[in-house]
Amino acid sequence: MLSHLSLFLSFSLSFSFSLSLSLSLSLSLSHTHTHTHIHTNPFREGVRELQGVGRSQNSMALTALYLLTLFSSVLKYGHMEVRQKAVVVLKPNWTKLFRGDTVSLRCTVPGEPSTDWEYIWYKNEEELNPYKLWSESNEYKNVGPVEDTDSAEYACLGMRKVDSVFSEISDAVVLTVSERPKAVILQRPDWLQIFSGETVTFRCDIPGELLTEWRYRWRKDGQKVKSDAAGETNIYRITAADQSHSGKYTCTGLRKSDFKFSLASDSVTLTVRERPRAVAILSPKDMEIFSGEAVLLRCHIEDGEAEEEWRYTWYKRGYVGHSQIGEERELSLSPASEGDSGDYTCRGTRKTDSQHSQTSPAVRLAVSALPKVSVSVKPGSPIFIGETVVLECGAASRSDWSYTWFKGSPQTGALPADRSSKRGDSLTISGATETDEDEYWCQGERVNSNTSSLMSDPVYLTVSDLPTSSLTAEPQNPVFSGEVVTLTCAIESHNDWEYRWYKGSSQSPVAQSDRYSRDGNSLVIRGAAESDQDHYWCQGEKDTRPTSSHISTYVYLSVTALPSATLTLQPPSPIFSGEIVTFTCAIQYLRDWTYKWYRRSSKDTVSQSARYSRTGNTLTIRGAAVSDEDQYWCQGERDTRPMVSQISHNVTLSVLEFKPKPRLTSNRSEQVYTGSSVTLTCEVDPSGATGWTFYWYRDSQNSDPVALTDTNAYTINFVKMSDEAPYFCNAGRGSPIYFTHYSNASWIKVTERPKAFVTLLSNWTRIFSGETISLQCDIQGTTDADWDYIWYKNGYLNNPVNHEKEYRVTLVYGHRGDEYACIGRRRSELTYSEMSEPYSVSVFERPLAELSVPAQIWMHEGDSVTLRCEVTGSTEGWRFHWYRVDSAVKQTLVYSNGDSYTLVPVAVRHTGLYMCRAERGEPPYYTKNSKLQPVWVMGLSPPASVIVRPNRTQHFIYKSLSMSCETQGIPAGWRLRWFTDRGELTECPAGWRSVVGSTCTIVHPHTSDSGVYWCQSEAGLRSNPINVTFHDTEVILESPAHPVTEGDPLTLQCRYRKTPAKAEADIYKDGAPLQPTITGELTILAASKAHEGRYRCRHADRGESPDSWVTVRPRDTPTHTHLVVWLVVGLFVSLALVILLATLLYRYRGLFLQVGLFGWGRHSTNQQTRDDQNRPEGEKSGFVPWHRGGARSGPSDVVYTDIELKEMRRKWYKVQCVSDTQQLTRYSYVQNICIEFGRR
């Protein structure tokens, strides 16, 4: 207790001074460092921060922090501890790993609960995850599936959560990762097939491994081998193999040290089969063998053995050991003799191992002597010509023999191929002739062999001729229908004949019927008809040989029908009363005809009278009357064959009492347009009356005909105005002409043809490529319902044909001067209007929208900016759309309709690239997108910052630099983007060599990489943009990349590609030189708005640098009293508060480090609401609350307090502060968020 009290008093005086210094330092840090970085280890990064502050203030702050930390530790524990050493535990406890394995490493501090510690892991003495969140324990480190890169030394370090005390680093654990080995299996002997009873040995090897370090596992067809021989040894042996041992064998190694398996070997297939059997094969098979033939015996080993793997042995008498007669696979006996008859066997011996096959069953060979044949003839001699003769070759009739026939001589004779046929052992001669008379022999030949039988004895064949027959017909041709015809057949030799009569191509005799009668050797045909016309022949037949005579010669019977009479009437019926009628009877065949006329069904001829007159082949009726109506016939007669003609068909005479009056009609019921055609039709009733000639009259019936036509239609083509008149018609026929009455009048009314015209329906005349226009066709003085429309393009009919009044066409650039015209077609009468005048359409290239912005595109929050969009050369009908380009593939529509887009007030979130495009028409036609135009907005407290290393605006080309996004509370989802002078929006890592998180590094930048860079999150939040340029010059000016705050120092320095001998250089502002510098460096201790401007550097030898703009922004928070004032106040109050503060430090020992050193400002949600209200329509707020890494998002206790602050300048502000308490892992901290009410 006394040691604790003395230690406490020794720190009292030190703490009274350090307390005031720490309070001042915390206020200064909260004011100065507007953009505080997010760190994963508050203690470690806090010390770094204090070290940076100590260089600008003094080292007392670091001393105070250290003493306070030590003081808090002593208060809790009262003594200094000895650090424990961390231990790495492996699970499983293997250090040699195969690729793909997984291992877990655990870090423990002996004797300490694991939940009280946080851990740091090292790989090859480098820290893993240096930016991890300390809210994570990291007690376990899982590695796997492991790769070669995981081979390393691993160690860990613990830090106690309660007081941030570190353990000693553990001993290193070495992990080795290698490829998992694959087993290899070998078979001996390595034959593809093993016979039953043989021995097989398998060996398993692990390449590159010692045999004694492994156990071995054997599998057959995927199942474990149950054998005493399998296990420790790498040999697996099968003795006396049988077919059950057949299968696929694999092996796997199991390392004894860590029980890890190797990869299984590839499978080896073992096939065990029974000893093969030999089979002796005799060829030819199943047929009788004759002396002199060739015999082949072949030995075959069954079960698919290869022939070349065996030697063969042949035996006669059927058993091994006697009469060995050959050692080849095939035993040939050529020629065979009767002494070769006997039983044969064979056996195989495998060449590789001298294993014998089974002996084949015996095959019996029987060899016989050659046979002799003989010839027989059917029927016996003599043979009559035409008969069929069959010669048979006997005494050797076997199915496997063929026979050869000889005629005249056994050596040179030949058989008639056209009439002879061989079938089996017989020769058939069909239709024997005198040439077939000769001697005949035969000989047998074995099929598929050269063996022949002995030649037969000869047989002589005698051939005699058949009796002949002849046929006659009476009367001779031609025969007329109805006459009687007699056919007579005569045979000179032999008696007792019966006669057969044949007609046409039929092979069947003519049958007896009513019209066909047979009498002896005659055939009588009564009432000859045209169906009897054909060829006829006869033949004699009898029961004894010769059974038939020769066929007679053909007789053709020609039957001709009686000549036909044709009756015609002129003029055609119906006949009108008073007309002259003429009947004409015509017979085309023969002459010397006289004619008879018949009326109705009477057989009496028409009598001659004053009205009926007969002249030659005509009958004339003068002054036809109704009483003459009837049916009429005619017939011809003559003195020789044929005596009469056929009766003509009947003709009906119809007589009408009235004189007809035609009816005149027109195909145009309404007005006729000039240039079209009109057809008049003159119809005479009844319509069946024919033979008319039509007469056409104009203006009156008494005028001369304007036209005569054979048809009842008259067409006027290309109607003119002068064709307008009344028209008449009548008809006439016969000689003298019989005229009808005149028709009614039909008027033709002619009107000038209307003209079509084309109209463009859109409100604009300048047409662009890809745009769809509508053209309309109208007909002057008509209604649309009467017309269809035909469109033409450049004088040609448009394809596809469009009959609509409105014609829509999508135009393509390059079709300048296309002309469109139309013509109307009247639906009711198919008449056409005149062609419209051509409507010329010129097509221009698709326009580019032009986006214009103010000259000053760099603005501050609260300013306003107006963007304007227009289409060059066209102003009619356009609607405009505005887009913000968020990435190369993402565009956000922010506004539509107007040709201008105003941002007021602008905020950092409005930073970006904008473009526009226009549309008009239906379907919408779009212009090309405008070029990208940037708008850069500088904010006071953006959510992120672009950090440039090295931190300057100008850079040399080919000099490496990096940029990163450092954020306030939102570490994920940020990307670095830039817009270059080429007009391209690019996102890291395009064109950059490496990317780590939100940091991009470029190794060899070029001038084309110059541009504006900013950070953007996935939620749309943006940082302040900065301008970064790359120059191919000898000198550049180093100036801050970010705006300088009023009151802060500003340093400008000349940088050289190569260090010059003399460093003197001049710095210019807005073109005017400032004070000369010896080192080329200028420092302004307290920058003000007056220092804002354009700066450049000039060196006498190296030339001038490009201009660089420096921006100075006002300080956004009131300045605090000098640090000395706070030190004096602290000295007076420290002694009074020491006990109270010691208690607070003990209770809130983590709060001081979190808030005093690392506090930051926060955007007001009220301000965000005001910003959202000022956003254009369609754009949503992208505000996301920001939290420190490791803090959990959630509700917090909020307290509002009004505080009155008085500034040194005696200006008053009213500030509302919000106390926002959030919970970290084990520490609490308070954020003071102040919102200003009122303005200066």
Side-chain angles (χ1 to χ4, degrees):
M1 182 66 184
L2 292 177
S3 60
H4 290 175
L5 181 58
S6 62
L7 182 60
F8 176 80
L9 294 178
S10 64
F11 283 103
S12 298
L13 294 178
S14 299
F15 181 72
S16 63
F17 178 75
S18 60
L19 174 62
S20 60
L21 178 60
S22 299
L23 291 174
S24 302
L25 181 59
S26 63
L27 293 174
S28 177
L29 288 176
S30 63
H31 163 68
T32 303
H33 297 279
T34 305
H35 308 291
T36 304
H37 306 306
I38 308 301
H39 300 282
T40 57
N41 189 335
F43 177 80
R44 185 163 39 187
E45 299 300 330
V47 173
R48 296 175 185 170
E49 189 73 18
L50 283 176
Q51 291 173 350
V53 174
R55 286 193 296 268
S56 59
Q57 301 293 331
N58 61 56
S59 60
M60 294 181 63
L62 181 61
T63 304
L65 176 61
Y66 175 78
L67 293 176
L68 288 175
T69 305
L70 181 61
F71 180 61
S72 60
S73 301
V74 173
L75 287 178
K76 177 172 178 63
Y77 300 104
H79 62 278
M80 301 298 289
E81 294 185 79
V82 177
R83 291 195 297 169
Q84 296 290 333
K85 186 174 183 178
V87 177
V88 176
V89 180
L90 286 177
K91 186 177 182 181
N93 190 19
W94 301 332
T95 58
K96 291 184 178 181
L97 304 175
F98 291 143
R99 186 177 301 164
D101 288 347
T102 301
V103 65
S104 176
L105 292 82
R106 181 187 178 191
C107 188
T108 63
V109 179
E112 294 287 341
S114 61
T115 55
D116 292 346
W117 291 79
E118 295 176 352
Y119 304 93
I120 304 173
W121 286 94
Y122 296 88
K123 177 181 178 181
N124 290 337
E125 300 182 358
E126 293 185 3
E127 183 177 350
L128 291 173
N129 302 326
Y131 298 102
K132 74 176 185 66
L133 299 177
W134 277 89
S135 58
E136 302 175 2
S137 172
N138 277 353
E139 178 183 356
Y140 291 92
K141 174 64 179 178
N142 294 320
V143 181
V146 298
E147 297 292 340
D148 292 341
T149 55
D150 294 317
S151 293
E153 294 183 354
Y154 292 83
C156 70
L157 177 68
M159 187 191 77
R160 192 159 50 201
K161 299 178 181 179
V162 67
D163 55 3
S164 299
V165 172
F166 288 92
S167 70
E168 287 190 16
I169 191 166
S170 69
D171 294 332
V173 173
V174 179
L175 297 184
T176 302
V177 180
S178 62
E179 186 71 35
R180 187 181 301 273
K182 183 176 182 179
V184 177
I185 188 171
L186 300 176
Q187 174 188 334
R188 290 293 182 272
D190 56 355
W191 302 327
L192 296 178
Q193 294 180 344
I194 302 298
F195 289 151
S196 296
E198 293 185 316
T199 299
V200 181
T201 301
F202 293 103
R203 176 179 174 179
C204 186
D205 291 329
I206 309 296
E209 298 288 334
L210 294 177
L211 177 65
T212 57
E213 292 184 354
W214 294 80
R215 295 189 181 94
Y216 301 89
R217 298 292 183 266
W218 298 89
R219 288 182 179 271
K220 171 179 169 290
D221 296 330
Q223 302 296 324
K224 290 184 179 180
V225 175
K226 304 296 185 179
S227 173
D228 295 338
E232 296 293 336
T233 179
N234 68 331
I235 300 298
Y236 175 56
R237 181 173 291 104
I238 301 174
T239 58
D242 56 33
Q243 292 185 354
S244 64
H245 292 104
S246 297
K248 293 184 178 181
Y249 287 81
T250 60
C251 71
T252 307
L254 176 64
R255 194 159 59 190
K256 299 177 181 179
S257 60
D258 53 8
F259 299 99
K260 286 186 176 292
F261 284 97
S262 70
L263 296 177
S265 69
D266 296 331
S267 63
V268 172
T269 301
L270 176 64
T271 303
V272 182
R273 49 175 293 191
E274 293 295 332
R275 188 175 301 275
R277 186 179 65 144
V279 177
I281 301 173
L282 174 64
S283 178
K285 182 181 180 183
D286 299 332
M287 62 184 294
E288 188 176 2
I289 306 298
F290 292 98
S291 179
E293 291 185 320
V295 177
L296 181 67
L297 292 165
R298 187 173 70 253
C299 189
H300 172 68
I301 306 300
E302 292 183 337
D303 298 332
E305 291 289 335
E307 299 176 359
E308 62 275 6
E309 293 183 359
W310 296 84
R311 293 191 302 272
Y312 302 89
T313 306
W314 286 96
Y315 305 92
K316 190 177 179 182
R317 299 181 185 176
Y319 58 91
V320 178
H322 298 276
S323 303
Q324 180 175 340
I325 58 176
E327 293 186 353
E328 298 297 329
R329 183 170 183 263
E330 294 181 350
L331 177 63
S332 177
L333 302 176
S334 179
S337 64
E338 295 181 44
D340 293 324
S341 299
D343 294 332
Y344 291 83
T345 59
C346 72
R347 185 178 68 176
T349 302
R350 195 161 61 182
K351 297 177 181 179
T352 56
D353 54 4
S354 300
Q355 291 274 7
H356 294 293
S357 69
Q358 299 181 35
T359 303
S360 71
V363 173
R364 171 156 295 185
L365 173 63
V367 183
S368 305
L370 290 174
K372 184 175 181 179
V373 296
S374 62
V375 178
S376 62
V377 180
K378 293 180 181 179
S381 293
I383 302 299
F384 289 97
I385 293 176
E387 287 186 319
T388 299
V389 183
V390 178
L391 292 85
E392 293 183 353
C393 191
S397 179
R398 294 177 173 85
S399 60
D400 58 344
W401 287 79
S402 65
Y403 299 89
T404 302
W405 293 89
F406 302 91
K407 176 186 175 185
S409 171
Q411 289 78 26
T412 59
L415 294 177
D418 55 341
R419 293 181 294 106
S420 63
S421 62
K422 296 186 294 182
R423 183 177 181 182
D425 58 351
S426 65
L427 171 66
T428 301
I429 301 175
S430 300
T433 65
E434 292 179 352
T435 60
D436 296 323
E437 186 173 306
D438 213 328
E439 287 185 328
Y440 291 84
W441 292 265
C442 73
Q443 187 178 27
E445 295 177 353
R446 194 164 192 184
V447 178
N448 299 326
S449 174
N450 295 326
T451 303
S452 299
S453 70
L454 300 176
M455 185 72 70
S456 71
D457 295 330
V459 173
Y460 191 83
L461 184 65
T462 301
V463 180
S464 301
D465 194 9
L466 288 173
T468 60
S469 60
S470 61
L471 178 63
T472 59
E474 184 65 30
Q476 296 183 355
N477 289 325
V479 177
F480 292 98
S481 297
E483 294 184 321
V484 177
V485 180
T486 300
L487 301 173
T488 302
C489 186
I491 301 176
E492 297 178 353
S493 63
H494 297 85
N495 297 318
D496 301 328
W497 293 103
E498 291 184 1
Y499 297 90
R500 297 287 185 265
W501 303 90
Y502 298 91
K503 173 186 176 183
S505 59
S506 173
Q507 300 299 319
S508 299
V510 176
Q512 187 92 3
S513 67
D514 293 340
R515 294 178 56 242
Y516 288 81
S517 62
R518 293 178 297 186
D519 183 10
N521 64 339
S522 298
L523 174 65
V524 179
I525 304 174
R526 292 178 175 82
E530 290 185 6
S531 61
D532 298 323
Q533 178 172 295
D534 212 328
H535 290 88
Y536 290 84
W537 72 94
C538 68
Q539 186 179 28
E541 295 181 354
K542 64 177 184 174
D543 295 333
T544 60
R545 298 177 61 227
T547 57
S548 64
S549 68
H550 280 299
I551 296 174
S552 70
T553 57
Y554 290 97
V555 173
Y556 184 77
L557 181 63
S558 176
V559 181
T560 303
L562 292 173
S564 62
T566 303
L567 181 62
T568 58
L569 174 63
Q570 190 62 32
S573 189
I575 303 300
F576 295 97
S577 178
E579 281 192 282
I580 296 176
V581 180
T582 299
F583 289 97
T584 302
C585 189
I587 301 176
Q588 301 295 330
Y589 182 63
L590 302 176
R591 297 180 180 181
D592 303 329
W593 293 100
T594 59
Y595 298 90
K596 289 186 178 181
W597 303 90
Y598 302 92
R599 180 176 178 180
R600 299 186 181 92
S601 60
S602 173
K603 296 298 183 180
D604 297 333
T605 60
V606 176
S607 302
Q608 185 88 4
S609 67
R611 293 179 55 242
Y612 286 82
S613 62
R614 297 180 297 183
T615 304
N617 65 336
T618 62
L619 171 66
T620 301
I621 303 175
R622 300 181 185 278
V626 176
S627 60
D628 298 322
E629 284 190 349
D630 211 332
Q631 291 183 343
Y632 291 82
W633 295 265
C634 73
Q635 186 180 28
E637 294 180 349
R638 63 193 301 262
D639 295 335
T640 59
R641 295 177 59 230
M643 306 294 289
V644 295
S645 71
Q646 298 183 44
I647 297 176
S648 71
H649 63 280
N650 64 305
V651 173
T652 300
L653 176 63
S654 299
V655 181
L656 301 176
E657 290 183 325
F658 62 88
K659 188 175 185 178
K661 180 179 181 179
R663 181 168 58 90
L664 182 62
T665 60
S666 172
N667 66 335
R668 298 298 177 90
S669 59
E670 300 179 357
Q671 59 185 3
V672 180
Y673 291 122
T674 57
S676 59
S677 63
V678 178
T679 298
L680 301 175
T681 303
C682 190
E683 298 178 356
V684 178
D685 291 330
S687 59
T690 59
W692 298 103
T693 298
F694 293 88
Y695 301 83
W696 305 91
Y697 306 90
R698 176 181 171 180
D699 294 329
S700 70
Q701 300 172 352
N702 298 326
S703 61
D704 294 332
V706 295
L708 277 75
T709 61
D710 293 332
T711 63
N712 67 339
Y714 171 54
T715 300
I716 304 175
N717 295 313
F718 303 104
V719 174
K720 304 180 293 296
M721 293 297 297
S722 59
D723 292 325
E724 183 173 307
Y727 288 80
F728 305 88
C729 74
N730 68 350
R733 69 181 180 180
S735 181
I737 301 175
Y738 175 82
F739 286 99
T740 67
H741 292 294
Y742 288 98
S743 71
N744 58 294
S746 178
W747 273 87
I748 296 179
K749 298 179 180 181
V750 183
T751 304
E752 287 289 349
R753 185 165 53 160
K755 186 173 184 179
F757 61 93
V758 178
T759 306
L760 178 65
L761 295 182
S762 60
N763 295 328
W764 50 85
T765 58
R766 189 176 178 88
I767 309 300
F768 297 101
S769 176
E771 193 168 8
T772 300
I773 64 171
S774 295
L775 302 175
Q776 180 173 296
C777 187
D778 294 294
I779 310 299
Q780 295 176 343
T782 63
T783 60
D784 295 337
D786 296 338
W787 297 86
D788 287 329
Y789 303 89
I790 302 174
W791 289 89
Y792 294 83
K793 178 181 178 181
N794 296 329
Y796 296 96
L797 182 65
N798 190 60
N799 188 20
V801 178
N802 181 16
H803 295 293
E804 299 298 327
K805 179 181 181 67
E806 183 177 337
Y807 175 58
R808 295 172 65 86
V809 58
T810 301
L811 303 173
V812 180
Y813 178 66
H815 289 243
R816 292 184 177 271
D818 284 346
E819 293 183 341
Y820 295 86
C822 69
I823 189 173
R825 184 178 68 183
R826 200 167 187 177
R827 297 173 183 168
S828 58
E829 300 177 358
L830 297 180
T831 58
Y832 294 87
S833 70
E834 287 190 24
M835 181 79 71
S836 69
E837 295 295 332
Y839 186 90
S840 181
V841 179
S842 295
V843 184
F844 298 88
E845 186 178 5
R846 182 185 293 269
L848 174 67
E850 293 188 0
L851 175 61
S852 59
V853 297
Q856 175 62 8
I857 61 174
W858 288 83
M859 288 159 287
H860 296 282
E861 284 187 321
D863 295 343
S864 65
V865 62
T866 299
L867 311 179
R868 299 191 180 278
C869 190
E870 63 179 356
V871 180
T872 304
S874 178
T875 58
E876 304 96 337
W878 295 104
R879 300 181 299 275
F880 295 88
H881 304 285
W882 297 84
Y883 302 87
R884 185 174 66 203
V885 180
D886 296 323
S887 67
V889 297
K890 181 181 179 182
Q891 302 171 358
T892 303
L893 178 67
V894 296
Y895 184 60
S896 292
N897 198 13
D899 61 350
S900 64
Y901 173 46
T902 301
L903 298 171
V904 56
V906 296
V908 174
R909 66 175 179 273
H910 295 135
T911 288
L913 304 174
Y914 291 82
M915 72 175 185
C916 68
R917 69 171 177 175
E919 70 159 91
R920 71 179 181 187
E922 188 62 39
Y925 173 77
Y926 294 96
T927 66
K928 296 179 181 178
N929 294 336
S930 69
K931 294 182 179 179
L932 300 179
Q933 290 292 347
V935 173
W936 312 122
V937 181
M938 305 294 294
L940 296 179
S941 299
S945 299
V946 180
I947 304 302
V948 185
R949 296 180 181 88
N951 182 18
R952 59 175 181 260
T953 299
Q954 296 181 3
H955 300 268
F956 291 113
I957 62 172
Y958 307 130
K959 295 294 185 180
S960 174
L961 83 157
S962 65
M963 297 186 191
S964 61
C965 298
E966 297 199 2
T967 62
Q968 298 189 18
I970 308 178
W974 287 89
R975 280 288 188 184
L976 181 69
R977 300 185 179 184
W978 61 89
F979 182 71
T980 65
D981 295 337
R982 298 190 301 268
E984 298 176 354
L985 174 63
T986 313
E987 179 178 307
C988 188
W992 293 67
R993 193 187 69 173
S994 62
V995 181
V996 178
S998 59
T999 299
C1000 294
T1001 300
I1002 182 169
V1003 179
H1004 300 292
H1006 199 263
T1007 55
S1008 59
D1009 293 313
S1010 298
V1012 177
Y1013 291 73
W1014 72 97
C1015 293
Q1016 184 173 324
S1017 70
E1018 295 176 353
L1021 301 178
R1022 291 168 172 79
S1023 69
N1024 281 341
I1026 64 171
N1027 189 36
V1028 177
T1029 58
F1030 299 93
H1031 303 281
D1032 187 11
T1033 60
E1034 293 298 324
V1035 59
I1036 60 174
L1037 178 63
E1038 180 179 304
S1039 60
H1042 293 279
V1044 180
T1045 304
E1046 282 186 327
D1048 289 349
L1050 169 63
T1051 299
L1052 304 172
Q1053 185 177 2
C1054 297
R1055 289 279 183 180
Y1056 306 97
R1057 188 182 298 275
K1058 294 182 180 180
T1059 305
K1062 296 181 179 181
E1064 294 89 341
D1066 296 327
I1067 296 180
Y1068 291 77
K1069 178 181 181 296
D1070 298 330
L1074 300 178
Q1075 61 185 12
T1077 63
I1078 298 176
T1079 61
E1081 180 178 353
L1082 174 63
T1083 299
I1084 302 173
L1085 297 179
S1088 64
K1089 197 66 176 176
H1091 294 115
E1092 186 174 82
R1094 193 176 302 278
Y1095 291 84
R1096 61 185 171 87
C1097 175
R1098 183 178 182 277
H1099 189 272
D1101 297 331
R1102 301 301 172 87
E1104 293 185 352
S1105 71
D1107 289 342
S1108 179
W1109 181 267
V1110 175
T1111 302
V1112 180
R1113 66 178 183 183
R1115 190 175 298 277
D1116 57 338
T1117 57
T1119 58
H1120 295 281
T1121 308
H1122 196 269
L1123 179 63
V1124 177
V1125 177
W1126 290 101
L1127 290 175
V1128 174
V1129 175
L1131 289 174
F1132 282 101
V1133 300
S1134 59
L1135 292 177
L1137 297 177
V1138 62
I1139 298 176
L1140 177 61
L1141 289 177
T1143 305
L1144 292 176
L1145 286 173
Y1146 178 77
R1147 183 175 182 181
Y1148 301 104
R1149 52 189 174 275
L1151 177 61
F1152 181 75
L1153 294 177
Q1154 294 288 344
V1155 178
L1157 298 180
F1158 311 114
W1160 67 92
R1162 181 169 181 159
H1163 283 280
S1164 169
T1165 56
N1166 295 336
Q1167 181 65 31
Q1168 181 66 34
T1169 304
R1170 291 197 298 272
D1171 289 345
D1172 286 346
Q1173 293 173 353
N1174 294 329
R1175 290 177 183 268
E1177 183 180 355
E1179 184 176 352
K1180 298 181 179 180
S1181 172
F1183 172 75
V1184 178
W1186 303 321
H1187 301 283
R1188 178 181 302 218
R1192 295 175 297 176
S1193 176
S1196 59
D1197 298 330
V1198 180
V1199 179
Y1200 294 90
T1201 305
D1202 290 337
I1203 303 174
E1204 294 292 332
L1205 298 179
K1206 184 175 182 181
E1207 198 189 25
M1208 293 293 293
R1209 300 178 182 176
R1210 301 191 178 184
K1211 293 185 179 180
W1212 292 87
Y1213 297 88
K1214 183 177 181 181
V1215 178
Q1216 186 177 47
C1217 294
V1218 181
S1219 296
D1220 186 1
T1221 302
Q1222 299 190 8
Q1223 186 71 26
L1224 283 171
T1225 305
R1226 294 187 304 103
Y1227 302 101
S1228 298
Y1229 63 89
V1230 178
Q1231 299 183 45
N1232 292 322
I1233 304 174
C1234 298
I1235 304 171
E1236 178 182 342
F1237 291 86
R1239 303 177 64 89
R1240 296 184 182 182

